[in-house]
Amino acid sequence: MQKRVLLIEDEKNIARFIELELKYEKFDVTVSHDGREGLNIATKQTFDCLLIDVMLPGLNGIEICRRVRAQSDVPILLITARDAVMDRVAGLDAGADDYVVKPFAIEELLARIRSVLRRVRTNAEDGGNDLIRVRDIVINPKSYEVIFENRKLELTKTEYDLLKLLCENKNRVCDRELILQSVWGYSTEVETNVVDVYIRHLRAKLKTELEPYIETVRGVGYVVRG
């Protein structure tokens, strides 16, 4: 069955080029050149993926992303001519799954589309039953993948094991002894302060303007609040 893609892009030459390439790859493509029209289509029809340009007439792509995400988990890929860090962060914060910066090779765009579609398929096959969720953290134990605020979080194996332990025990305090035994092994000779080091690493990667994910319980250990 063909995957349905909505492309919202005001530059008609670029939109036509992307449309033809996607159709060649057997996608069913709907195109809009206006932000408000695109949002209307996105919220009234069902698509497998949305490709949204950031700079649009009527309504910008980041706002479209934010409004769509409020009611749907459809994969969203932002297309932008801007390469500034803040623009990328704004898009991801609005709920985008990924972004691609103009000018781009069509092969890169296709690869990113396939990537977000694979992620959705994997989650569907798992039925969501094995996923560990704490606020904006989603851990997939089968793929060792962590999604944080709708983007993949790069972790070392030790960081992953530590985060998984804390999230599995959401709202329960894990003392340093338990953490050492679970993450480093029963026979470990690692000093307890290594736990504090790895907690700092995780906190740096889980930055949020809201309540921090990992709370210190003085004299005991750490807890993730859900």
Side-chain angles (χ1 to χ4, degrees):
M1 184 176 178
Q2 284 184 310
K3 296 293 186 180
R4 297 196 67 207
V5 175
L6 172 61
L7 170 63
I8 310 176
E9 167 62 73
D10 64 316
E11 295 186 48
K12 294 185 178 181
N13 289 336
I14 294 177
R16 182 58 176 164
F17 169 69
I18 295 174
E19 178 186 11
L20 290 174
E21 291 290 339
L22 289 176
K23 285 184 174 179
Y24 180 78
E25 296 293 328
K26 309 304 182 185
F27 287 98
D28 179 0
V29 186
T30 299
V31 179
S32 173
H33 303 298
D34 177 82
R36 292 193 180 280
E37 177 192 65
L39 175 63
N40 185 55
I41 295 171
T43 53
K44 292 187 176 181
Q45 298 184 37
T46 301
F47 295 94
D48 296 290
C49 183
L50 307 185
L51 305 180
I52 308 175
D53 186 31
V54 170
M55 301 300 292
L56 291 167
L59 196 66
N60 70 60
I62 291 175
E63 184 59 28
I64 294 173
C65 180
R66 184 176 292 111
R67 296 189 189 188
V68 169
R69 186 56 75 229
Q71 57 183 274
S72 172
D73 291 328
V74 61
I76 299 175
L77 184 65
L78 290 181
I79 303 172
T80 177
R82 297 181 175 182
D83 196 19
V85 172
M86 289 309 298
D87 293 319
R88 299 199 298 265
V89 170
L92 294 170
D93 283 348
D97 294 275
D98 204 351
Y99 63 89
V100 61
V101 177
K102 298 178 184 175
F104 53 82
I106 191 65
E107 291 81 7
E108 178 188 4
L109 178 62
L110 291 170
R112 290 179 182 272
I113 293 172
R114 287 192 291 266
S115 177
V116 295
L117 290 177
R118 270 198 308 273
R119 190 181 309 159
V120 170
R121 184 172 65 249
T122 298
N123 289 346
E125 290 171 351
D126 287 341
N129 295 327
D130 296 325
L131 300 182
I132 302 167
R133 300 176 183 271
V134 178
R135 289 160 55 191
D136 287 329
I137 299 173
V138 181
I139 301 174
N140 187 333
K142 290 186 177 180
S143 64
Y144 291 90
E145 184 178 56
V146 178
I147 304 298
F148 174 59
E149 295 184 341
N150 298 302
R151 63 184 187 276
K152 184 176 180 179
L153 192 64
E154 298 295 337
L155 298 175
T156 66
K157 183 181 184 303
T158 300
E159 290 169 347
Y160 170 87
D161 290 342
L162 176 56
L163 180 61
K164 179 171 177 284
L165 173 69
L166 293 172
C167 290
E168 284 177 327
N169 291 276
K170 179 178 68 175
N171 297 323
R172 293 174 55 191
V173 178
C174 294
D175 61 45
R176 288 177 174 79
E177 185 68 23
L178 171 64
I179 293 172
L180 283 171
Q181 292 176 352
S182 301
V183 177
W184 280 271
Y186 284 93
S187 61
T188 184
E189 296 182 4
V190 173
E191 297 292 335
T192 57
N193 63 2
V194 77
V195 174
D196 305 326
V197 172
Y198 274 87
I199 290 291
R200 287 199 298 271
H201 290 174
L202 283 178
R203 282 174 169 160
K205 294 183 178 183
L206 296 171
K207 284 185 177 179
T208 176
E209 295 180 359
L210 304 176
E211 182 181 355
Y213 281 86
I214 303 175
E215 177 183 326
T216 300
V217 179
R218 294 191 180 281
V220 182
Y222 299 95
V223 59
V224 162
R225 302 291 187 189

